[in-house]
Amino acid sequence: MRRLLPAVLIFLALGPVPGTHLRFPETDLTERVAVRPLRFAAGGDGSLRFVRGWHLTSPHSYFGGFSAVARIGPGRFQLVGDNGYWTRLTLTPGGQPSRFRIAPLPTPDGRPRRKSMIDAEAMVFDPASGKSWIALEGINQVWRLDARLGAIESRRKLPGQPNWPINRGPEAMARLADGRTVVFSEDADDDPRGREALLYIGDPAAPGPAPVRFFYSSGGRGLVSDAAALPDGRILLVHRRLGFDPVFTTILAVLDPADIGKDAVVGARAIGRVPRLLAENYEGAAVAVEQGRTWLWLVSDDNFNLWQRSLLLQFELVGLPPKKTPDSKKAAR
């Protein structure tokens, strides 16, 4: 069981607070978005260099709560929220919206929508097929959706007895260049070795071999809120640590999948953190390479609270620590 202080912080930071109001007291389905550039000087911490950012708003009642982001083309983003709605958004080079679409994720067998069924927390996008993989926390499943995000092509339940807890299950997912997929739990098992994670050899949404279980030890950086594959084969991890001032601290780290093995305890190397003045509840990450430069996008979950924001930030990743060689790994053991 979580300790009392972290539980209180999570309740206050990640959910509606008694006496406050949600942003949408009445349902509005107007499909319109406003994008306001953030006034924050370029600069960085460690390997993280801030480039620019935007505050996203919309009158649409289901816009927000973003828990994952994918870059699906130049200036084109796909966002998914833990309310079971997705958004596709295009930004011009000047940072203005040019196309916008919001719609609900499909549900299996046409069953009615319930929060426990559509709590999407992580996403992988395949640029070749346009298909998306969504990890859902409430039902501990991974779905593969068609390019329109209109149909579930395949779905598979995460293994484990008992199942990962409803509110601490799959939180981050990344697909490696060789086709393997890694799924990290938010806080499953509360194991002293670390938080439980899974490595799939094939499609995590289709029948196949059982995944390899391992444990991730964050080293005090907080819980993992998302992951993204880096061009050098490693995995970028986003950590969310809760406090009072600021409420959210976001720390980035790099994990080498070569360290993953059955029941292995795997750590990562910190590479920087989001500037204090941009502190928010960042739950989505996407990485892309353009003209030899590596870019990172982060999106925040506003939890549909008036006091939180949906921010989309762009960073450049520079001077990442070198990968360990097989000899250095052997020596480290």
Side-chain angles (χ1 to χ4, degrees):
M1 181 177 293
R2 296 174 186 261
R3 294 179 180 177
L4 179 59
L5 179 58
V8 171
L9 289 173
I10 288 171
F11 175 76
L12 292 175
L14 305 184
V17 180
T20 65
H21 301 280
L22 297 180
R23 291 188 294 115
F24 304 110
E26 296 182 3
T27 301
D28 186 338
L29 300 182
T30 302
E31 293 201 41
R32 186 174 70 249
V33 63
V35 178
R36 180 169 60 84
L38 300 178
R39 294 184 178 181
F40 189 80
D45 177 85
S47 297
L48 206 60
R49 295 288 183 270
F50 176 77
V51 178
R52 56 181 177 166
W54 306 269
H55 182 194
L56 311 178
T57 59
S58 172
H60 198 292
S61 298
Y62 300 104
F63 179 85
F66 298 125
S67 54
V69 59
R71 182 180 176 276
I72 61 177
R76 185 80 171 145
F77 300 93
Q78 178 173 292
L79 312 169
V80 66
D82 55 17
N83 63 346
Y85 275 73
W86 56 265
T87 297
R88 283 179 173 167
L89 170 70
T90 299
L91 295 179
T92 67
Q96 295 301 311
S98 63
R99 283 189 294 167
F100 176 67
R101 179 78 173 98
I102 182 170
L105 292 171
T107 57
D109 307 322
R111 288 179 284 181
R113 298 176 59 80
R114 300 193 306 272
K115 169 66 175 175
S116 61
M117 290 178 56
I118 44 80
D119 188 357
E121 292 291 342
M123 173 174 57
V124 167
F125 175 79
D126 176 30
S129 65
K131 298 179 181 181
S132 299
W133 283 254
I134 307 289
L136 297 106
E137 189 174 55
I139 55 176
N140 285 301
Q141 291 185 12
V142 177
W143 296 354
R144 185 179 72 240
L145 279 68
D146 65 4
R148 298 182 300 105
L149 298 178
I152 302 170
E153 295 184 342
S154 181
R155 58 191 178 103
R156 180 179 178 182
K157 192 171 182 63
L158 295 166
Q161 294 294 333
N163 294 324
W164 284 357
I166 289 177
N167 64 338
R168 291 181 286 165
E171 186 74 17
M173 182 167 58
R175 172 162 297 166
L176 308 181
D178 59 11
R180 295 181 297 168
T181 300
V182 184
V183 179
F184 295 85
S185 73
E186 181 179 17
D187 200 13
D189 293 344
D190 200 19
D191 194 289
R193 292 172 292 180
R195 300 299 176 256
E196 192 171 342
L198 302 169
L199 174 65
Y200 287 84
I201 303 302
D203 185 344
V212 175
R213 183 185 75 159
F214 67 98
F215 296 90
Y216 173 64
S217 178
S218 71
R221 301 181 190 102
L223 301 178
V224 172
S225 61
D226 206 7
L230 291 169
D232 65 6
R234 290 180 291 180
I235 302 171
L236 177 84
L237 295 178
V238 182
H239 301 80
R240 176 180 57 202
R241 191 170 67 196
L242 299 177
F244 288 106
D245 187 19
V247 175
F248 302 103
T249 297
T250 302
I251 302 173
L252 286 298
V254 173
L255 180 150
D256 192 336
D259 295 333
I260 297 174
K262 187 178 186 305
D263 292 330
V265 179
V266 179
R269 300 177 65 181
I271 62 168
R273 65 181 62 198
V274 172
R276 180 188 181 91
L277 294 179
L278 295 175
E280 259 297 350
N281 180 32
Y282 295 100
E283 290 202 16
V287 171
V289 177
E290 289 181 347
Q291 299 178 343
R293 302 170 73 178
T294 303
W295 306 104
L296 165 68
W297 287 269
L298 296 177
V299 71
S300 65
D301 177 1
D302 66 355
N303 292 294
F304 298 97
N305 281 324
L306 286 170
W307 64 276
Q308 292 182 259
R309 300 170 294 172
S310 295
L311 300 184
L312 179 63
L313 307 184
Q314 181 182 8
F315 295 87
E316 184 179 6
L317 297 177
V318 298
L320 291 173
K323 294 179 66 175
K324 294 180 181 178
T325 64
D327 288 341
S328 66
K329 290 180 182 179
K330 183 176 180 181
R333 296 192 186 100

